[in-house]
Amino acid sequence: MNQASHHVVVVGAGFGGLEFTRALAGAPVSITMIDKRNHHLFQPLLYQVATTALATSEIAWPVRHLLRKRKDVTTLLANVVGVDRAGKRVLLDDGNAVAYDTLLLATGARHAYFGHDEWEPFAPGLKTLEDATTVRRRILLAFEKAEREIDPVKRQALLTIAIVGGGPTGVELAGTIVELAHDTLRGEFRNIDTRQTRVVLIEAGDRILANFAPKLSDYAMKALERLGVTIELGRAVTRCDAEGVVFGDKHLSAGTILWAAGVAASPAAEWLGAAADRAGRVLVEPDLSVPGSPEIFVVGDAAHVLRPDGRPVPGVAPAAKQQGRHVAATLKARLAGDTGQRPFRYRHDGDLATIGKRAAVIDFGWIKLTGWAAWWLWGIAHIYFLIGFRNRLAVSLSWLWIYATGQRSARLITQGDDDKG
């Protein structure tokens, strides 16, 4: 660590925290980066690990490696449990504390089950690498169990996968799981035909991809149905258990349930004792600082930030990166003697979602694309934002192989058996 007098603590090595740290390069500060995991995760492609298209190492990188050339940064693998605002300390679960002059909380989000946390064992979400390998294991184990099952009713239940939530994650999961069952696994089993797999996408609203233009939602719905996905709209889920899922007045027997319906912020608001919205996001000032504590900033999924039109800034990677850069610029200005408030202005670059390996929808506002061309643009955009040439090359080759052959190489059942899946 350098000997700069101003000490910055960053909690969370996600998009916002990492971008903030990068933007402070050369500033007269010392930085301590704290995360409970040792890796930075490219979450937009997490579903592809869950569905056997990519390996974990292709979308995650050790934080220490990413920051190895930054002598001003000290990286700590630790679990934060609180913030002492009066004493300006970050509290760790081992009883230690880290003092700060400026604090950035970029702690992301977790799954939200709308008051039914008891559903989580039966319907895992997708936020971490551990989540992705859990989902992958459950999907693959369902086929293995179906291969051994002699009761046709139970076998069909094992070959039924329910996905709760029709946002980008749910849509992307549905499309790629159908292709996994219909293409990749076809012919590998003797007692089952994996093409009989039923994927059901359940959305409480009146359309999928509600943040997209209606015509793009309609295209995505038709594209999924052409792949073989069953879409259920307008009925909220009221129960998840080992037997399946209930939505509206309908019970669906499903061997695998995946949760893509909602998120809640990390406990940042609880740590600070700060006001929060219904999802637990801290109600920050226009410059992303915490009311009453101008030295504390919250960015990304943990912050409630509004656009000029009153709509919330979406919880996506580009938004977190923009916020990280903004806070870095604010801190640099303060260190140079400019203490004026600098309101954050979000620039929306567009919405993207893929539907299997040959279609996608892209909404840039001024232009809307669908189909094959959108899929290639979606792929190029994601490859561009990956870190390092090796990962860009590996992901590109994996996608080209899947596109050409339908085969996926990451079909490993790890971490042992799972009696919930």
Side-chain angles (χ1 to χ4, degrees), residues 69 77 94 115 122 164 180 241 245 251 255 297 316 319 338 345 365:
K69 296 181 180 179
L77 182 66
D94 61 4
F122 308 103
V164 183
L180 170 68
D241 56 30
V245 59
H251 177 267
F297 296 88
V316 294
D338 181 0
R345 294 286 182 265

Side-chain angles (χ1 to χ4, degrees), residues 198 200-205 230-235 247 250:
R198 187 182 181 206
V200 182
L201 181 62
I202 305 167
E203 166 56 43
T230 300
I231 299 176
E232 298 280 358
L233 298 175
R235 288 182 285 187
F247 52 100
K250 184 174 182 179

Side-chain angles (χ1 to χ4, degrees), residues 209-257:
L209 297 181
N211 289 335
F212 288 68
K215 72 174 185 178
L216 296 182
S217 295
D218 185 59
Y219 171 86
M221 182 168 175
K222 291 176 180 176
L224 285 175
E225 290 175 337
R226 283 195 299 270
L227 286 175
V229 177
T230 300
I231 299 176
E232 298 280 358
L233 298 175
R235 288 182 285 187
V237 168
T238 56
R239 191 175 82 229
C240 295
D241 56 30
E243 301 303 317
V245 59
V246 175
F247 52 100
D249 58 356
K250 184 174 182 179
H251 177 267
L252 176 69
S253 296
T256 305
I257 308 170

Side-chain angles (χ1 to χ4, degrees), residues 286-288 321-331 342-345:
D287 66 350
L288 307 179
K321 295 176 76 169
Q322 289 178 37
Q323 291 167 7
R325 288 193 296 270
H326 177 83
V327 175
T330 297
L331 179 55
R342 301 163 54 91
F344 171 70
R345 294 286 182 265

Side-chain angles (χ1 to χ4, degrees), residues 40-62:
H40 168 74
L41 175 64
F42 191 76
Q43 277 194 342
L45 292 180
L46 196 57
Y47 81 97
Q48 296 217 351
V49 173
T51 55
T52 78
L54 298 175
T56 55
S57 61
E58 292 173 336
I59 66 164
W61 306 266

